[in-house]
Amino acid sequence: MFRTSLLLIAALIGFQASAATQVWDLNNSSGYSNSLSMNINGITANITGWSGTGYQNMNQAWIGHWSSGSGVIHSWDEYNSGTHHSMDNSGQYDAMLITFDQEVSLDSFSIGWHYNDSDVSVAAYTGGGSVSDLSGTSWNSFLTSGWTSQGSFSDLANNTYQSISPTVTSKSWLIGAYNPFIQNMGWSTGNDYMKLSGLQTSYSTTTEVPEPAVIALFLLGIATLAGRKRNV
């Protein structure tokens, strides 16, 4: 038993668990694109825009970039006319799909601009693997397609991070204007307009403890176990 305990100490004390945090800045110069790709500390995120009325399959939209954040654009006419430069729930429910190349916890997010109301819904993909395409999915079938609601948040202030307190880690996350198909809070729809300006994510890491600390912990473990053995 004594020898086994020492071997376990030697195997475990050389490593230390910690959490690495990333901050993703979605403020950008004017323009639009089919997707937005970013990389922080070796982690890659790809962001796409999606819209749907509820019972019809969703369509991919453009991601618009502004200094106050990123929004969802359905057509060139919208971009060129300056209308609906936001992620909203007017006519259709807009959302941004964020796909990472490893599982992360989406801890908080911020908006940089809003008009009228600013209610937001968040979901995580828990079906295994990742999702980068919502074609063929409707909001009505969303929660039966491997997605899990992570909450809805009301009356968000600009440039202030909103904590999510997620229950899972995932490679795919979705943030959209308040959507009762994700979580029905009884709030009004058709009046939420906002631009997403930032994300905060984290993931667990295991690092090797520096050698002097390993030796000190190992000796402490020996002394502790030896004392227990003498007292038996």
Side-chain angles (χ1 to χ4, degrees):
M1 180 65 181
F2 181 70
R3 182 179 178 184
T4 301
S5 298
L6 289 178
L7 290 174
L8 287 173
I9 291 172
L12 295 175
I13 63 177
F15 298 92
Q16 178 175 309
S18 60
T21 301
Q22 305 79 44
V23 178
W24 307 82
D25 183 3
L26 274 66
N27 297 317
N28 233 310
S29 58
S30 295
Y32 68 93
S33 58
N34 289 328
S35 63
L36 175 62
S37 293
M38 307 174 70
N39 185 287
I40 296 179
N41 298 329
I43 298 179
T44 298
N46 188 67
I47 303 174
T48 51
W50 296 87
S51 293
T53 59
Y55 295 91
Q56 296 178 337
N57 289 341
M58 282 184 256
N59 295 309
Q60 185 172 355
W62 292 334
I63 296 290
H65 316 293
W66 292 274
S67 59
S68 56
S70 296
V72 175
I73 306 173
H74 304 114
S75 67
W76 167 251
D77 288 339
E78 282 191 354
Y79 179 78
N80 196 41
S81 65
T83 60
H84 291 279
H85 274 187
S86 59
M87 183 170 63
D88 62 67
N89 52 17
S90 176
Q92 301 186 69
Y93 296 103
D94 296 341
M96 294 186 190
L97 172 63
I98 307 106
T99 303
F100 300 90
D101 60 358
Q102 71 175 65
E103 286 197 359
V104 301
S105 171
L106 180 56
D107 299 322
S108 60
F109 67 94
S110 66
I111 61 173
W113 173 92
H114 76 274
Y115 170 72
N116 203 358
D117 206 358
S118 54
D119 303 337
V120 173
S121 295
V122 179
Y125 185 68
T126 54
S130 63
V131 173
S132 58
D133 191 336
L134 293 176
S135 300
T137 303
S138 66
W139 289 123
N140 184 49
S141 63
F142 186 70
L143 293 182
T144 61
S145 303
W147 289 88
T148 303
S149 172
Q150 294 297 298
S152 292
F153 309 90
S154 64
D155 302 326
L156 301 185
N158 295 345
N159 303 311
T160 301
Y161 272 92
Q162 168 65 52
S163 176
I164 296 175
S165 300
T167 61
V168 299
T169 60
S170 177
K171 288 185 175 181
S172 298
W173 292 83
L174 183 135
I175 299 179
Y178 167 63
N179 189 330
F181 290 101
I182 295 177
Q183 185 181 28
N184 193 341
M185 303 295 291
W187 301 337
S188 61
T189 59
N191 58 343
D192 298 289
Y193 303 81
M194 75 283 299
K195 294 174 184 174
L196 189 64
S197 61
L199 307 169
Q200 290 185 342
T201 59
S202 63
Y203 67 96
S204 298
T205 61
T206 302
T207 56
E208 188 173 353
V209 179
E211 185 175 336
V214 172
I215 295 173
L217 288 171
F218 184 67
L219 292 176
L220 177 61
I222 292 175
T224 300
L225 290 173
R228 289 180 179 175
K229 185 177 181 182
R230 285 196 300 270
N231 292 328
V232 173

